[in-house]
Amino acid sequence: MESLTLDAFIESTLDYLRQHGPGAFLPTLIPLGRPAAPLMLIRGIPEEVDHREAIQRVILDTGLAEGSFLFCVRSGRDELVGGRYTPVSTEFFAIRETGGRYLSGRIPPCPWWRVAPRGRGGPGGSPWQREPPHA
């Protein structure tokens, strides 16, 4: 999966949104540089839990912060935020729904993003299911 670029990931996400709508979108992680690394969808997040918090907890609890990955998560009613993480830097993008259209672009670092190598997350496993998208 190392060959998947951030731009290709943005386009794939836009295609998904156009076909299925934002209501069907689940927080998504794609590990890079691992043989046969699956796309991971995070399911079963309780309504009261912010998806931005949930995806970061999964990243830290699974050790993904030690490598590179692509991610995308709902960050507001009409907005998704994603990016390409490496242990050295993170590039971010946003996708916003406006008038039935999706607009995307690069954005500065998000203040809520706290993922770093060798985890600064709390102990314990993530309570949310991580599944391949076969459903």
Side-chain angles (χ1 to χ4, degrees):
M1 279 273 184
E2 188 66 47
S3 63
L4 185 61
T5 66
L6 183 57
D7 289 333
F9 180 56
I10 293 168
E11 285 305 313
S12 294
T13 303
L14 287 166
D15 289 344
Y16 180 88
L17 291 171
R18 289 181 193 115
Q19 291 177 22
H20 303 283
F25 187 82
L26 293 172
T28 303
L29 293 164
I30 302 175
L32 300 173
R34 297 179 183 183
L39 174 119
M40 296 167 58
L41 301 177
I42 303 169
R43 301 176 188 273
I45 302 169
E47 269 189 51
E48 67 275 8
V49 175
D50 187 315
H51 285 202
R52 296 172 296 184
E53 178 63 31
I55 198 169
Q56 290 179 94
R57 177 134 180 226
V58 168
I59 291 164
L60 294 170
D61 288 349
T62 60
L64 283 174
E66 299 305 316
S68 299
F69 57 87
L70 298 167
F71 67 95
C72 193
V73 65
R74 182 175 302 286
S75 60
R77 192 171 79 79
D78 298 321
E79 180 180 72
L80 301 176
V81 168
R84 183 179 199 281
Y85 169 90
T86 72
V88 176
S89 67
T90 305
E91 298 175 76
F92 292 92
F93 69 88
I95 297 174
R96 292 183 180 92
E97 183 180 16
T98 307
R101 294 185 56 210
Y102 295 101
L103 307 173
S104 66
R106 304 293 172 100
I107 60 171
C110 297
W112 50 264
W113 184 258
R114 66 181 201 294
V115 173
R118 289 171 188 66
R120 291 185 293 203
S126 170
W128 305 296
Q129 261 182 308
R130 297 173 304 277
E131 299 179 6
H134 51 74

